[in-house]
Amino acid sequence: MNKKLLVVALAVTASLLVATNAFANTSIYCTGGANLKFVGVGSSAQTNALAYAGVGVVKGNSHTANSYALISFGGSTITDKRATKTDTGITTWIAYDPSAVGPCDAYVYFQTDSGVGVKDFFAYEKFTSTSTVTGKQFFNSVAGAYPTLPALPISLGNKIPGLADGCFIGGVACPSGNDPNGVPQTISDALNLTPEAYVNQNGTGIPPAAPAYCGNVSTVGITGQFYCKFNAAGTDIRPEDALFATTRALTNYNGIVPPAFHGGTLTGLGYGATGGVASAGCTGGTANVGCGIQDSFNQNAIFNVINFKLTGSDPISLGVLPKYSTLSVGAAPMMVIAGNEDTSNLGSTFTDAVGNTNYTYNNINRETLSEVFSGYTGCVADLQSSSATNLGAGAAPLQVLNREPLSGTYNTFEFTATRIYYGGPTANATTPNANSDNGQEQFNDPNVFPSHTGATDCTFSSGAYPNANCFNPMYLSYDGSNIKVGSKCQGTAGGVAPGLPVRLRTIGSGMEVKGVIGGLNVAASANTKVFNPIGYAFWSYGNMDPLCSTISGDTCTGTWKGHYLDVDGIDPLFATPGGEFDLGYGNPGNPAPRNAPYNPSGVNNPPVCDLTVANPNCFSIPFTHIKDGSYPLWSLLRTVTFSPVAGKVNTPTGVLDMIANEEITSVTSGLSDFVPFLKNVSGSNGVYTGDLNLFVYRSHFKQAGGPVAAANGHKACAGSFTGVSLQGGTSTSSTCLVDFGSDEGGVVNTVQQDVDFFADFATEEYNLRQ
């Protein structure tokens, strides 16, 4: 660099420093510092409930009673230093106490995905500090993943449904308004400080002790403490199952083998180093950092595949990992959703026997559902033959939308809907893999389908799919030779209705739902259009509201762009199919007409709620068949955090405060996002008790290569499920309602059944799969 350029560069740097300092001087809250209490990362399924909980905790613990500030926004990033990979565009919320005269308490959540959140929580490295003090240089456990907020000032984003960004002191709007920086400078500085910079902040002096919110007991030497960045991960699958998904993604592909008939177990998806071209067209991946997963809709979304572990040492940077505990929050149903664009097919309706408008396709048997998402059938008429006119070859093909294989949503769906343990062509060697083997991944690479050419297989990219990403393992469409799916409903290429029988990839629930309702159909792009799409997403008003074009209060005043399907005739939200007869069916005491629909949106339309207003009056979802366990597609929402280790680590108080308040506000907020795991929760400052509210569970098991033995969480309860302490547990010491081991796809049993089994055989009942 020549001298002139150096002077210019220094001038620019100086101006940036002045600008930064100017922003710093504008903060009016938390000027005494930031006391981080909860820094969570993970699933979108808990974003809203945790935000309400964060506000509740701050209001209850504020310096001046009933005070809080909330700001939510997009644009944060999370860097995994171990893999030099960054996730971008992350929605974030921060709740803090604007009335504090000293350091103010702050609660923060970064919305990514279950698998990403778990991975980020467990990312640790060994680190050598700049300290010159003997014995204070070599740190065993420094966080390897950390966030960066957008540059200040940050505008109010109002990202939390029904809970507007704002500032209140003593229940009254702050006289000075919101912080001019959006996020107070001290909170921004604390969150943006990397773990390594935190360790080195004293220069050559003694490094500081680890942050208090990480749960460290102060008597432990600082080099052995956990210098965490995230002290919690929100997830809709257990961490053992998230690790299984990552391990499978990085392992050699071993599903369908040439000539694309029977064989293979699909315990490897081929995104890692040894996968190579022969597995998935993946080049450049390593054993620990695989090829990125991309979407099919030209949205430039990439899901990074990065290894991690739950016990021992980090597989990439060798950091010593903390003991962990996973606390249950509540149960949420997975909903099968279909687009309404083609009113002659998936969107077709009829007037049923009681005079209500009903969808022709309002239910799907789980075996058929498994066939659709496994890639064995691709025609609309295959879903449900309700009359003779539906029999025979159907003209309209399906466009099947799947999530990325590391997401909690994908894995919940795969192991409760697709990879099921009954039915399927297991005994017929002339058919493809059985559903129990195939899952949702099926690579269409040259080795699998030999007639295709090229390592990344773009055979159908001209006038069809995929447009943006030829290396997309989900892509599968009828070709008249090797791929037989959709032979009776070949459809039309080039983005012309009814489209092709095809499977496509979405990244994130937002893209999945948007894809199903045709929101990613672009007129100028013939290669990204769907006409009869079917997909899935966890229930929430936020996820399902887009199925209606316009909402006023709790009423859809516009058009229905999509609807949901019952599974095996069982509704995920209501007692009766589609919620049609909940109010009156079988109850002569109700006034006539006794068949008045209880579902306020009509049969198989999801209830909606205008979440743009404060304190929305949302319809309360009964979740009848989640509570009784008969609806097959559901999972527990959970929070992963530090397990208590005597003399070393406590489960962080801030995390326990958040879990308790999340279960409380899940009822008081009216959002009906899930069935709370506990009810009658009471307590404060990390000490809480509650009564069990969900009396069904999935049988646990030790996943192949899993790190811990299974525990359903009932053994230590001694038959009593009231007044249960909310606390972290350990895998070697049973704690009431704290479970361990995998449970995705486990058989649904009642808690009482497990208690009785233990009484008879002195063990909980494990290893049962549905």
Side-chain angles (χ1 to χ4, degrees), residues 115-493:
V116 175
V118 170
K119 181 265 297 181
D120 288 341
F121 174 82
F122 284 100
Y124 278 89
E125 64 171 348
K126 288 186 179 292
F127 175 66
T128 302
S129 76
T130 58
S131 173
T132 59
V133 179
T134 302
K136 303 295 184 182
Q137 305 105 328
F138 307 112
F139 289 76
N140 293 322
S141 305
V142 176
Y146 49 84
T148 303
L149 271 57
L152 299 180
I154 298 173
S155 299
L156 306 183
N158 292 311
K159 299 286 188 180
I160 306 303
L163 187 60
D165 293 353
C167 179
F168 301 87
I169 295 179
V172 179
C174 297
S176 300
N178 295 299
D179 193 282
N181 279 340
V183 177
Q185 184 75 46
T186 53
I187 296 178
S188 175
D189 289 346
L191 292 172
N192 286 340
L193 185 65
T194 68
E196 291 182 347
Y198 180 94
V199 173
N200 282 333
Q201 64 183 311
N202 284 349
T204 58
I206 299 176
Y213 73 93
C214 299
N216 294 280
V217 176
S218 60
T219 55
V220 175
I222 62 172
T223 58
Q225 294 178 4
F226 294 103
Y227 286 74
C228 76
K229 196 63 185 185
F230 302 110
N231 66 352
T235 177
D236 40 48
I237 56 175
R238 285 200 53 84
E240 294 90 343
D241 291 322
L243 177 59
F244 170 79
T246 298
T247 302
R248 182 174 66 160
L250 290 168
T251 301
N252 272 8
Y253 174 71
N254 60 358
I256 293 179
V257 294
F261 292 140
H262 197 75
T265 59
L266 205 74
T267 54
L269 303 183
Y271 283 91
T274 56
V277 173
S279 282
C282 170
T283 57
T286 70
N288 288 317
V289 184
C291 294
I293 303 169
Q294 302 179 46
D295 74 278
S296 302
F297 288 92
N298 203 22
Q299 300 298 299
N300 299 316
I302 298 178
F303 194 103
N304 292 316
V305 183
I306 305 172
N307 201 12
F308 68 97
K309 289 179 64 177
L310 303 179
T311 59
S313 299
D314 188 283
I316 301 176
S317 52
L318 304 179
V320 176
L321 302 178
K323 303 292 184 182
Y324 68 96
S325 186
T326 308
L327 303 179
S328 299
V329 174
M334 182 76 67
M335 297 178 69
V336 180
I337 53 177
N340 289 350
E341 177 175 334
D342 188 346
T343 56
S344 297
N345 289 287
L346 276 188
S348 64
T349 61
F350 69 99
T351 301
D352 64 20
V354 295
N356 294 322
T357 298
N358 211 323
Y359 289 98
T360 302
Y361 295 95
N362 54 42
N363 175 65
I364 187 167
N365 293 331
R366 192 157 34 140
E367 177 59 31
T368 304
L369 182 65
S370 178
E371 301 259 351
V372 168
F373 282 88
S374 295
Y376 299 124
T377 187
C379 303
V380 172
D382 296 345
L383 301 187
Q384 177 177 304
S385 294
S386 58
S387 67
T389 57
N390 272 344
L391 299 178
L398 288 167
Q399 288 89 50
V400 180
L401 275 59
N402 264 313
R403 286 285 305 276
E404 68 278 12
L406 268 65
S407 75
T409 301
Y410 176 102
N411 282 273
T412 297
F413 190 81
E414 175 173 355
F415 288 95
T416 61
T418 304
R419 187 179 290 203
I420 53 179
Y421 279 71
Y422 63 87
T426 54
N428 190 343
T430 64
T431 60
N433 275 15
N435 300 335
S436 58
D437 290 330
N438 185 48
Q440 298 177 72
E441 290 287 344
Q442 193 172 23
F443 291 95
N444 61 326
D445 59 73
N447 279 357
V448 174
F449 300 110
S451 67
H452 295 183
T453 59
T456 55
D457 188 8
C458 298
T459 302
F460 300 106
S461 63
S462 177
Y465 301 92
N467 181 50
N469 172 30
C470 292
F471 164 43
N472 189 331
M474 285 309 304
Y475 178 64
L476 180 69
S477 186
Y478 174 75
D479 72 348
S481 177
N482 291 283
I483 308 175
K484 302 299 185 182
V485 177
S487 63
K488 300 300 182 182
C489 53
Q490 297 178 35
T492 307

Side-chain angles (χ1 to χ4, degrees), residues 639-710:
T639 299
V640 184
T641 187
F642 297 98
S643 176
V645 178
K648 186 171 185 178
V649 177
N650 294 324
T651 301
T653 298
V655 175
L656 294 172
D657 288 344
M658 286 291 287
I659 295 173
N661 278 269
E662 188 178 6
E663 298 193 271
I664 293 170
T665 57
S666 67
V667 177
T668 59
S669 69
L671 290 182
S672 291
D673 280 352
F674 52 83
V675 180
F677 187 70
L678 298 177
K679 63 181 179 180
N680 302 326
V681 177
S682 63
S684 62
N685 297 321
V687 181
Y688 297 90
T689 60
D691 303 336
L692 183 62
N693 186 53
L694 185 70
F695 287 90
V696 294
Y697 74 100
R698 290 192 180 279
S699 177
H700 288 50
F701 52 92
K702 184 175 182 180
Q703 191 70 266
V708 297

Side-chain angles (χ1 to χ4, degrees), residues 29 59 64-69 98-99 166-177:
Y29 303 119
K59 288 171 67 176
T64 300
N66 202 27
S67 301
Y68 78 91
S99 69
C167 179
F168 301 87
I169 295 179
V172 179
C174 297
S176 300

